[in-house]
């Protein structure tokens, strides 16, 4: 669902809403004023925005406390989404108001499939087949006596990872998606949420750039990261890269929508310019994450958007300088050239890509051997697996057969 929303935002910005004249309005006044959002939907938008803005700042939501907080916010959101909405005098024309939004959930097969999936994880947590034990030097697994015909898992600490923690993560995601699907009834809600998310991403990117310029080795200048290559508030760069280039896509989509309204003289172009600045900051931080796939996907995104604008430019008649796609296309070309220059001028990025091209066999083998070990692991436990959140415990038993996973030279 989220990928579809981002794709729509990038490839086809929202078309302008045509004004609908009413008996009491003058057509020359322009756009007809629509009724405001229902108070419950306004609250849901606020809680959802707070939820999604909190996750990247909370160390990329990798810690147990941030995931439990996410679950709490998701529960508040689903309550607001399914609570009966009673029409009032303030919302006489809001035809989207539902008396029982929860009725839509009962008719959806996806909701029942999600509940079955969460129930499956619950059974795994209640039926452990291994017990996690450790001392100061190492850890190991002791076999237990589970119910053989039921899914099983590893009885491990919650702080480390187990099926109950996976239940928290997947439950939060399911509740969040469900609350948006049921509770958002107006395009205005999505636009408000996307604007807040893009603004939050811009602040995070600016924070990450300032943190990088300061040369600090601490997240937030006071938190010791387990990974010295952290980016902004993300402990792992490969987590920061995908988030940031998705925010670039979102910012570009919103910028296109505001630019279209500015051309129609329905607002000033300041919002579009600000969103382009957000996209530029996020793009720079993607490059400084040194994540090769994220950088390639970012360039592909910008080139795809540029190709879309080029096609629209060629299909329009009249002088090129008077066509609305000209200036955004020029800006995108400049952005691509700027990103390429920054990429080529950064030694570490050149080193990362030179390793890939100089020794592609090593890059392929780095992924082939773990895939073989995972295939062996799947063949031994193909029906029920090791349990949600317990892959890390079982995988170490199979990597012993492929020692090059740990020691292959780069």
């Amino acid at each position: 669902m989220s990928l579809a929303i981002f794709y729509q935002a990038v490839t086809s910005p929202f078309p302008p809403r045509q004004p609908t004249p009413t008996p009491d309005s003058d057509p020359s006044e322009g756009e007809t004023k629509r009724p405001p959002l229902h108070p419950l939907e306004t609250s849901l938008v606020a809680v959802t925005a707070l939820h999604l803005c909190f996750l990247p700042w909370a160390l990329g939501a990798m810690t147990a406390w941030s995931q439990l907080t996410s679950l709490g916010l998701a529960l508040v959101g689903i309550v607001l989404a399914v609570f009966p909405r009673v029409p009032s005098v303030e919302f006489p024309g809001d035809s989207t108001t539902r008396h029982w939004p929860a009725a839509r959930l009962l008719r959806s097969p996806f909701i029942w499939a999600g509940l079955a999936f969460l129930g499956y994880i619950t059974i795994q947590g209640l039926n452990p087949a291994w017990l996690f034990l450790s001392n100061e030097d190492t850890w190991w697994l002791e076999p237990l006596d589970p119910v053989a015909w039921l899914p099983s898992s590893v009885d491990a600490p919650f702080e480390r990872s187990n099926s109950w923690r996976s239940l928290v993560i997947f439950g939060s995601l399911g509740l969040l998606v469900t609350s948006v699907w049921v509770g958002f009834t107006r395009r205005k809600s999505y636009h408000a949420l996307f604007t807040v998310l893009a603004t939050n991403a811009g602040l995070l990117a600016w924070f990450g750039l300032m943190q990088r310029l300061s040369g600090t080795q601490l997240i937030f200048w006071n938190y010791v990261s387990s990974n010295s290559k952290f980016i902004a508030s993300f402990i792992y760069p490969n987590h920061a890269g995908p988030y940031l280039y998705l925010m670039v896509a979102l910012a570009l989509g919103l910028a296109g929508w505001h630019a279209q309204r500015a051309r129609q003289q329905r607002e000033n172009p300041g919002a579009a310019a600000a969103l382009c600045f957000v996209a530029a900051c996020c793009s720079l931080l993607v490059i400084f994450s040194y994540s090769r796939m994220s950088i390639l996907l970012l360039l592909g995104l910008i080139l795809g958007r540029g190709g879309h604008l080029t096609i629209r430019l060629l299909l329009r008649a009249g002088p090129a300088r008077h066509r609305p796609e000209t200036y955004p296309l020029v800006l995108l070309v400049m952005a691509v050239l700027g990103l390429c220059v920054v990429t080529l001028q950064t030694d570490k990025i050149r080193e990362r890509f030179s390793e890939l091209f100089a020794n592609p066999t090593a890059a392929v083998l780095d992924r082939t051997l773990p895939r073989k070990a995972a295939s062996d692991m799947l063949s031994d436990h193909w029906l029920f697996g090791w349990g949600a959140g317990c892959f890390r415990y079982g995988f170490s038993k199979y990597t012993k057969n492929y020692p090059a996973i740990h020691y292959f030279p780069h």
Side-chain angles (χ1 to χ4, degrees):
M1 177 179 177
S2 59
L3 292 178
I5 292 173
F6 284 122
Y7 177 79
Q8 180 182 8
V10 176
T11 58
S12 56
F14 291 125
R17 185 185 300 112
Q18 297 298 326
T20 304
T22 61
D24 299 329
S25 63
D26 184 0
S28 62
E29 293 179 359
E31 195 173 348
T32 302
K33 185 177 181 180
R34 301 193 66 190
L37 294 176
H38 192 279
L40 284 175
E41 186 162 349
T42 301
S43 301
L44 176 60
V45 172
V47 170
T48 305
L50 175 63
H51 187 177
L52 294 177
C53 290
F54 162 77
L55 295 177
W57 288 96
L59 303 177
M62 288 195 58
T63 59
W65 67 266
S66 62
Q67 293 163 3
L68 290 172
T69 304
S70 173
L71 178 61
L73 292 172
L75 287 171
V76 174
I78 195 65
V79 170
L80 292 172
V82 302
F83 200 85
R85 299 183 183 181
V86 181
S88 61
V89 178
E90 290 81 6
F91 310 98
D94 190 359
S95 60
T96 60
T97 300
R98 296 186 179 89
H99 292 284
W100 295 97
R104 187 180 180 188
L105 297 178
L106 301 177
R107 298 192 298 266
S108 173
F110 299 103
I111 299 301
W112 293 106
L115 290 175
F117 176 68
L118 295 179
Y120 184 87
I121 297 177
T122 302
I123 295 174
Q124 289 180 329
L126 294 172
N127 188 42
W130 301 87
L131 176 63
F132 175 90
L133 297 173
S134 64
N135 55 30
E136 296 180 356
D137 300 322
T138 185
W139 61 267
W140 65 95
L141 299 178
E142 291 287 345
L144 299 175
D145 187 21
V147 180
W149 55 273
L150 287 177
S152 59
S153 64
V154 177
D155 185 3
F158 183 85
E159 283 288 337
R160 187 177 179 92
S161 182
N162 60 14
S163 294
W164 301 114
R165 187 162 176 178
S166 294
L167 186 65
V168 169
I169 296 171
F170 287 111
S172 302
L173 176 61
L175 291 173
L176 174 63
V177 173
T178 302
S179 63
V180 171
W181 176 61
V182 173
F184 281 27
T185 61
R186 298 268 295 276
R187 185 176 66 172
K188 183 177 181 180
S189 301
Y190 289 98
H191 183 264
L193 175 63
F194 290 166
T195 301
V196 174
L197 292 183
T199 303
N200 181 70
L203 293 174
L204 182 65
W206 185 254
F207 164 77
L209 292 173
M210 294 299 100
Q211 195 169 238
R212 181 176 178 81
L213 289 175
S214 69
T216 181
Q217 298 298 316
L218 304 174
I219 299 179
F220 302 120
W221 288 277
N222 63 1
Y223 179 83
V224 180
S225 173
S226 58
N227 181 15
S228 61
K229 300 178 182 179
F230 64 87
I231 294 294
S233 58
F234 288 88
I235 296 177
Y236 293 102
N238 286 335
H239 295 174
Y243 169 79
L244 289 167
Y245 73 70
L246 286 176
M247 290 298 103
V248 172
L250 180 62
L252 289 178
L254 288 172
W257 186 81
H258 283 285
Q260 188 178 44
R261 289 176 61 88
R263 289 194 299 268
Q264 297 170 349
Q265 298 183 350
R266 298 165 72 181
E267 64 177 58
N268 61 57
L275 287 164
C276 288
F277 179 73
V278 167
C281 292
C282 292
S283 299
L284 283 176
L285 211 58
V286 170
I287 292 177
F288 290 135
S289 71
Y290 308 127
S291 174
R292 291 177 297 200
M293 184 54 66
S294 298
I295 294 173
L296 292 176
L297 288 173
L298 174 65
L299 292 177
L301 167 68
I302 297 177
L303 291 174
R305 182 59 174 160
H308 177 247
L309 290 175
T310 301
I311 294 174
R312 292 180 58 180
L313 178 66
L314 296 176
L315 293 178
R316 288 182 180 268
R321 65 179 181 275
H322 294 157
R323 302 177 198 177
E325 289 79 19
T326 301
Y327 298 108
L329 181 59
V330 172
L331 288 175
L332 281 175
V333 171
M334 294 175 62
V336 171
L337 293 176
L339 290 175
C340 291
V341 169
V342 172
T343 301
L344 293 175
Q345 291 296 322
T346 305
D347 294 336
K348 192 165 184 178
I349 297 177
R350 288 205 311 270
E351 179 182 349
R352 290 275 291 162
F353 280 95
S354 62
E355 290 175 356
L356 177 63
F357 294 115
N359 193 1
T361 303
V364 173
L365 193 59
D366 281 347
R367 289 156 178 79
T368 301
L369 293 180
R371 186 164 56 248
K372 288 181 179 179
S375 299
D376 295 343
M377 184 177 176
L378 177 62
S379 63
D380 289 345
H381 299 269
W382 63 272
L383 184 58
F384 294 132
W386 280 80
C390 303
F391 174 85
R392 63 193 301 179
Y393 305 119
F395 188 64
S396 61
K397 296 170 65 69
Y398 295 87
T399 57
K400 298 176 183 178
N401 301 326
Y402 304 94
I405 291 177
H406 304 288
Y407 306 111
F408 191 86
H410 292 74

